[in-house]
């Protein structure tokens, strides 16, 4: 299961006086099966994470707390997405250069992926990314 375009996906939300609740079901709200979850937190002001692409891996990023920006490059143009609510997230297909920046204080980003961690999935050089994307 895959789609080619990044997209903001709204998640279910149950608003409740006792506190709100949202959830994600793999294959229903996001277009892949979840193999791994990781999170980024305690990011010092002005720091960036990412700065790479994945050759096959797909991800979904939610700002569970605070906010951050995800900057995606498709080989031709760059698009910046601001994530600041826990009831929506950004789906990122394979082969997008991605950088995470503009983290707020106490930002907590949850990232769901469709593969386990494998260093050989990473394309860490931007020129290699552009060449690979051109040939794709
Ligand atoms: P990395 O994805 O390179 O972070 P960033 O792109 O933000 O710089 O991850 C940093 C290190 O963390 C990586 O070298 C290995 C480890 N890591 C895991 O062991 N498992 C994981 O699921 C992730 C995401 C990272």
């Amino acid at each position: 299961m895959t789609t080619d375009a990044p997209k903001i996906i709204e998640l279910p939300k149950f608003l409740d006086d006792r506190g709100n609740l949202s959830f994600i079901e793999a294959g229903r709200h996001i277009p892949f099966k979840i193999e791994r979850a990781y999170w980024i937190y305690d990011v010092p002001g002005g720091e960036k994470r990412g700065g790479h692409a994945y050759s096959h891996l797909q991800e979904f990023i939610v700002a569970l707390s605070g906010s951050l920006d995800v900057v995606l490059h498709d080989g031709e143009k760059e698009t910046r997405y601001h994530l600041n609510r826990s009831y929506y997230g950004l789906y990122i297909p394979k082969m997008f250069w991605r950088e995470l920046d503009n983290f707020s204080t106490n930002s907590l980003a949850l990232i769901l992926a469709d593969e386990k961690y494998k260093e050989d999935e990473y394309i860490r050089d931007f020129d290699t990314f552009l060449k690979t994307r051109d040939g794709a």
Side-chain angles (χ1 to χ4, degrees):
M1 230 184 332
T2 179
T3 63
D4 293 336
K7 62 175 176 200
I8 293 288
I9 297 176
E10 285 262 345
L11 299 168
K13 61 176 173 194
F14 286 85
L15 303 181
D16 193 306
D17 290 343
R18 299 170 300 158
N20 302 334
L21 182 153
S22 286
F23 63 95
I24 301 170
E25 289 179 9
R28 181 167 169 216
H29 305 111
I30 55 173
F32 59 81
K33 270 187 75 176
I34 300 162
E35 271 294 322
R36 177 164 53 107
Y38 64 96
W39 45 100
I40 294 175
Y41 54 99
D42 289 350
V43 178
E47 282 295 343
K48 296 174 183 220
R49 300 284 325 209
H52 54 69
Y54 301 111
S55 45
H56 301 96
L57 187 104
Q58 308 170 69
E59 284 186 334
F60 182 72
I61 304 182
V62 192
L64 285 186
S65 175
S67 64
L68 70 146
D69 287 1
V70 182
V71 185
L72 296 184
H73 201 296
D74 65 4
E76 285 173 9
K77 63 178 189 326
E78 199 173 84
T79 309
R80 179 174 286 272
Y81 298 86
H82 185 59
L83 304 181
N84 64 353
R85 292 284 184 270
S86 57
Y87 53 78
Y88 74 87
L90 177 65
Y91 165 71
I92 309 175
K94 67 177 182 177
M95 283 304 288
F96 277 79
W97 189 265
R98 107 226 204 302
E99 203 159 76
L100 278 48
D101 67 14
N102 198 24
F103 288 88
S104 68
T105 306
N106 290 333
S107 175
L108 168 61
L110 172 70
I111 301 157
L112 305 175
D114 71 339
E115 288 182 20
K116 296 200 166 63
Y117 174 77
K118 282 185 244 148
E119 181 55 35
D120 63 7
E121 257 299 306
Y122 284 70
I123 302 173
R124 293 191 183 274
D125 175 68
F126 191 67
D127 285 339
T128 307
F129 162 71
L130 291 178
K131 283 185 196 127
T132 312
R133 187 123 189 160
D134 268 356

